[in-house]
């Protein structure tokens, strides 16, 4: 079983920055990709970005491209999401996930964290 713990969420003004982190622990398949998703109130969960095991492949949703950056730690079990130029529409609960490959859909991930709230005020 794998445990994922996200951290770094909070309240920030529009135009500001936040850095989310996610750490994976426990036994799982290897190698694995890590992804970020978000869900705003009343909306479906949506893909934000993902990164391959090596860190050499990254994908981003069009809505965050150029503003968000995903990176993977040297130990491979951590992933960060640097969020710059935040907008009120980025407000959501952000979830970290682990899967066998860098997938753009939630069905491509096997394990999920509990989520961390990001609120961007206007």
């Amino acid at each position: 079983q794998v445990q994922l713990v996200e951290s770094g969420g909070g309240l920030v003004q529009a135009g500001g920055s936040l850095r989310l982190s996610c750490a994976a622990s426990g036994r799982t398949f290897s190698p694995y990709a890590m992804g970020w998703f978000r869900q705003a109130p009343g909306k479906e969960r949506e893909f934000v970005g993902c990164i391959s095991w090596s860190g050499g492949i990254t994908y981003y949703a069009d809505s965050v491209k150029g503003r968000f950056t995903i990176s993977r730690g040297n130990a491979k079990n951590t992933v960060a999401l640097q969020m710059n130029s935040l907008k009120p529409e980025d407000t959501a609960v952000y979830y970290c996930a682990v899967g066998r490959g860098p997938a753009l859909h939630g069905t491509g991930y096997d394990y999920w964290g509990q989520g961390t709230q990001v609120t961007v005020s206007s």
Side-chain angles (χ1 to χ4, degrees):
Q1 196 61 284
V2 175
Q3 293 79 44
L4 298 172
V5 178
E6 303 100 334
S7 61
L11 173 64
V12 64
Q13 289 188 333
S17 299
L18 277 177
R19 184 177 178 87
L20 305 184
S21 297
C22 174
S25 62
R27 299 187 65 179
T28 184
F29 45 81
S30 180
Y32 56 85
M34 300 185 79
W36 286 97
F37 289 76
R38 67 186 182 185
Q39 187 166 20
K43 295 187 177 181
E44 294 187 352
R45 182 180 61 193
E46 65 173 358
F47 170 77
V48 174
C50 62
I51 188 166
S52 63
W53 170 261
S54 67
I57 299 173
T58 54
Y59 296 117
Y60 297 94
D62 288 342
S63 59
V64 307
K65 202 171 294 183
R67 300 188 297 123
F68 291 11
T69 303
I70 292 177
S71 59
R72 196 141 185 180
N74 291 333
K76 302 298 185 185
N77 70 320
T78 60
V79 64
L81 181 67
Q82 178 66 41
M83 305 185 294
N84 298 328
S85 303
L86 283 161
K87 306 175 182 180
E89 50 263 44
D90 294 318
T91 295
V93 176
Y94 284 69
Y95 298 91
C96 172
V98 160
R100 296 183 182 273
L104 278 63
H105 299 284
T107 53
Y109 295 86
D110 299 272
Y111 302 100
W112 295 82
Q114 294 298 307
T116 185
Q117 176 70 46
V118 171
T119 303
V120 184
S121 62
S122 56

